[in-house]
Amino acid sequence: MASDATPKEAPAVATAAAAAAAVKKPKLHGRAFYESIGSPKYIVAPMVDQSEFAWRMLSRSFLPESQQSNILAYSPMFHARLFGESQKYRDQHFQPTKPDSDDLFLDGNPAIDRPFFVQFCANDPQALLNAAKLVTPHCDAIDLNLGCPQGIAKKGHYGSFLQEDQELIHRLIKTLHENLDIPVTAKIRLLDTKEASLKYAQNVLSAGASILAVHGRRREQKGHLTGLADWQMIRYLRDNLPPETVLFANGNILQYEDVEKCLAATGADAVMSAEGNLSNPGIFAAPPPAGQAPRGYWRGKDGKGGWRVDEVLRRYLDILHKHVLGAAPPQRRPLFVPGDDDTAWIAQEIILPDQADHDGSKPKKRRTDVAKENPALLAANFVGVQPHLFHLLRHFVSRHHDVRNALARTRLGDMDMYEAMCSLVEKKVAEGLLEYERTDGKSVSTTTAAEQEGEGEEEDDPESSARVVRECRRPWWVVQPIIRPLPKEAMAKGAIQLSKKERKRVAAEMEGKEEKKNAKRSKEVAGPAAETAAATASLEKTTSYPSSELVSG
């Protein structure tokens, strides 16, 4: 990233270079390294095209400025070979300096984006080292992805599909450990047994990893088979690895309260969130005390609360304006709360740009067309906007289909459209809040009729997500987790298509469970303790992970 700076720009370049040199630290390892970056307790997980700079900034923004360094954020997963070989790939995914300049810009900027780890997937030690050397001046550590379970990882032979080749994993980590001036870390998934998982973790650490992040699921647990993360297995690793090992726990983080539960259950040093963070970037911020909540935080008559979608959307767009585009965000009225005098704007019609220009008849531009017109729009911070908004507004658009349709038509980098959508969202939130007050909260039902009918039946059923759905549900104007059905529920709904062999096995298991259930109803054969032990043994045999109050994350 050479500089063609003019004499006028030279002082700024020198300042940037001096700043970069000032933050360079001696290479530390393990817990000493972790403490040197502030021992962050909250971790924004590495996510493909979803943990880019703007999203990391948004996630940190919900903590007071003095506490924002307590969030460690990972880059999205980068493909090491492509990153090392392609300038175009680097320009689209990583922007530590401004174009054609050495001035510090976004990714890893010491003033706004630290602590920060860059994650790569790789299966070639030299290609991994080449890529890592390009980013070491702009991050605190390099992370090796050993957890991706997707088909593309299988095809490319990386992520969790390296776990059968422990020798290669060792060489990948050792190559970085011995040749970089910053630490290397790794993120793994569990293997089938606790003994195999422990041996795997020991191999990663012996190769030189300073931090081990553990996703508490196995490779096959994805999509509708995601199921529960195994916190007990992470605890087993914690108890059997050297005490100085820095361990991050990942999985089952749906809301803020789950963070402390996870720390207590696993003994981990920090908690990492992926899906929970995508649904609510403020997941690591403690709810404000009653009576002290800002306008952007809603608390209902039942005491439950959360960040409003219009507040989160405003923050996100402001970050894009200010940091990515280098422009002042638009002037915004204070977020509406019931009791405000100014309500006339709520009745005004909002015309989206595509409606005004062509009634939505013009087809959405393809990415290749956008690239020809303005290649800068293919950068990660713009590419991630639409998927992020679908996550944030998932519950909102299930009610307001016009917003969903508008979001589907948005064009890459069209900030005017995003701003118009933000105004539309604010209007609908205001209407929802007013209706909530008019009906004394009855306009929002926290429990569906089906849940009321079956309430109590699933309380002791570790294969039901009904209780978690009820506990996490908020009105549609509040960001909230997207909860997957557990495997049993997904299968009952036809979302999982099993092979003939699997169907036969599951049918036999279900038949056995039904017989036990009938026997229990007809007579009490054993005491409560024996029944609990039998149920637990059955669950572990069929799923190999224990029950939990949580579902996904």
Side-chain angles (χ1 to χ4, degrees):
M1 300 176 184
S3 172
D4 295 321
T6 64
K8 184 178 180 181
E9 296 169 327
V13 174
T15 301
V23 298
K24 187 175 180 180
K25 304 171 185 175
K27 183 173 180 179
L28 299 173
H29 185 76
R31 190 159 295 280
F33 162 64
Y34 180 57
E35 292 174 351
S36 76
I37 60 173
S39 303
K41 181 179 175 181
Y42 311 124
I43 318 294
V44 175
M47 299 172 280
V48 179
D49 295 332
Q50 294 283 273
S51 55
E52 76 288 348
F53 168 83
W55 191 258
R56 300 192 297 268
M57 285 287 290
L58 177 63
S59 299
R60 291 182 172 119
S61 74
F62 292 91
L63 268 64
E65 189 172 349
S66 61
Q67 299 177 23
Q68 289 180 7
S69 62
N70 203 25
I71 291 183
L72 161 64
Y74 285 63
S75 73
M77 182 188 75
F78 300 145
H79 190 288
R81 181 183 59 78
L82 291 177
F83 196 95
E85 295 177 355
S86 171
Q87 181 67 49
K88 181 179 178 181
Y89 183 91
R90 292 197 296 273
D91 289 344
Q92 290 178 358
H93 292 85
F94 196 67
Q95 298 176 292
T97 58
K98 293 181 179 179
D100 303 318
S101 168
D102 286 335
D103 287 356
L104 298 177
F105 189 33
L106 303 177
D107 297 286
N109 187 325
I112 53 178
D113 193 29
R114 294 295 181 96
F116 174 53
F117 290 3
V118 173
Q119 187 189 71
F120 290 104
C121 64
N123 55 31
D124 181 325
Q126 189 58 49
L128 175 59
L129 179 61
N130 293 343
K133 285 182 174 179
L134 293 172
V135 303
T136 51
H138 308 289
C139 62
D140 297 294
I142 302 297
D143 186 76
L144 177 62
N145 181 306
L146 296 171
C148 182
Q150 303 305 323
I152 191 171
K154 182 177 183 180
K155 183 178 180 181
H157 189 52
Y158 59 79
S160 65
F161 296 94
L162 293 183
Q163 63 191 31
E164 282 77 22
D165 193 343
Q166 291 291 317
E167 182 182 350
L168 174 57
I169 288 175
H170 194 277
R171 284 192 288 118
L172 287 165
I173 296 172
K174 186 176 181 181
T175 297
L176 294 187
H177 177 56
E178 293 181 345
N179 292 281
L180 295 180
D181 58 6
I182 63 174
V184 55
T185 66
K187 183 168 187 267
I188 68 171
R189 280 183 172 242
L190 298 175
L191 299 183
D192 288 337
T193 67
K194 61 183 183 181
E195 292 80 12
S197 298
L198 177 60
K199 189 174 180 180
Y200 184 9
Q202 291 169 332
N203 181 51
V204 169
L205 293 170
S206 69
S210 281
I211 294 175
L212 181 67
V214 182
H215 188 145
R217 295 182 175 93
R218 301 183 310 281
R219 182 170 63 195
E220 61 270 23
Q221 288 181 263
K222 59 183 180 179
H224 290 297
L225 293 174
T226 296
L228 303 170
D230 190 338
W231 286 357
Q232 291 183 15
M233 185 79 90
I234 298 177
R235 183 78 207 199
Y236 173 82
L237 297 180
R238 168 79 283 169
D239 292 343
N240 288 275
L241 291 172
E244 65 271 17
T245 301
V246 180
L247 191 69
F248 294 167
N250 179 208
N252 291 355
I253 308 302
L254 295 175
Q255 48 192 347
Y256 174 78
E257 292 76 12
D258 299 332
V259 174
E260 292 300 330
K261 290 179 183 178
C262 182
L263 289 171
T266 63
D269 294 280
V271 171
M272 175 182 287
S273 175
E275 289 185 348
N277 169 257
L278 288 178
S279 297
N280 174 15
I283 194 169
F284 293 127
Q292 300 179 31
R295 283 176 173 253
Y297 190 92
W298 178 86
R299 186 173 275 109
K301 298 181 183 300
D302 59 358
K304 293 182 177 180
W307 292 100
R308 288 167 39 174
V309 293
D310 48 353
E311 165 71 13
V312 179
L313 184 50
R314 276 188 175 192
R315 289 192 187 209
Y316 186 30
L317 294 179
D318 284 354
I319 288 169
L320 291 171
H321 283 297
K322 180 179 177 181
H323 293 284
V324 180
L325 295 173
Q331 291 292 321
R332 306 186 190 279
R333 71 170 64 85
L335 277 179
F336 176 81
V337 295
D340 284 355
D341 295 331
D342 180 15
T343 58
W345 64 273
I346 300 175
Q348 296 174 0
E349 183 180 6
I350 296 175
I351 304 296
L352 300 178
D354 67 334
Q355 294 173 339
D357 294 341
H358 45 262
D359 275 340
S361 59
K362 187 175 181 180
K364 182 179 177 181
K365 290 184 181 180
R366 296 183 179 182
R367 185 171 294 191
T368 52
D369 297 328
V370 173
K372 291 177 183 178
E373 294 179 10
N374 187 356
L377 293 180
L378 290 181
N381 290 294
F382 292 118
V383 171
V385 175
Q386 188 187 55
H388 278 312
L389 294 189
F390 269 118
H391 264 102
L392 289 174
L393 300 175
R394 172 71 173 269
H395 299 278
F396 184 99
V397 299
S398 66
R399 179 184 182 97
H400 300 288
H401 297 174
D402 54 339
V403 176
R404 179 191 62 195
N405 295 338
L407 181 55
R409 294 196 304 271
T410 56
R411 298 170 185 165
L412 198 60
D414 189 346
M415 294 299 291
D416 289 340
M417 181 64 167
Y418 292 133
E419 285 294 340
M421 283 186 54
C422 183
S423 297
L424 185 58
V425 168
E426 291 174 12
K427 171 185 168 75
K428 291 181 181 294
V429 169
E431 292 170 344
L433 293 173
L434 289 172
E435 181 66 14
Y436 182 84
E437 293 299 322
R438 280 196 298 268
T439 62
D440 195 31
K442 294 183 176 60
S443 63
V444 177
S445 173
T446 57
T447 307
T448 65
E451 288 171 349
Q452 290 174 348
E453 184 179 339
E455 189 169 352
E457 293 182 6
E458 78 288 341
E459 290 298 322
D460 299 319
D461 185 357
E463 295 178 287
S464 172
S465 61
R467 178 158 56 94
V468 177
V469 170
R470 284 202 310 274
E471 290 176 353
C472 292
R473 179 180 285 117
R474 300 291 188 271
W476 49 265
W477 56 79
V478 173
V479 292
Q480 55 196 289
I482 300 169
I483 301 174
R484 287 195 187 96
L486 289 169
K488 174 185 172 182
E489 297 169 318
M491 187 171 63
K493 295 176 181 178
I496 297 178
Q497 298 298 323
L498 300 178
S499 65
K500 186 176 180 180
K501 180 179 179 181
E502 284 294 302
R503 286 199 300 270
K504 187 175 181 180
R505 179 185 65 79
V506 172
E509 289 177 356
M510 296 300 290
E511 183 178 352
K513 287 183 179 181
E514 189 62 29
E515 289 177 357
K516 290 181 180 180
K517 191 174 181 181
N518 292 335
K520 181 180 177 181
R521 287 176 176 174
S522 60
K523 60 180 180 178
E524 291 186 8
V525 206
E531 291 177 353
T532 301
T536 301
S538 174
L539 177 67
E540 291 176 346
K541 181 178 179 182
T542 56
T543 66
S544 79
Y545 50 87
S547 63
S548 169
E549 295 182 353
L550 308 175
V551 179
S552 175

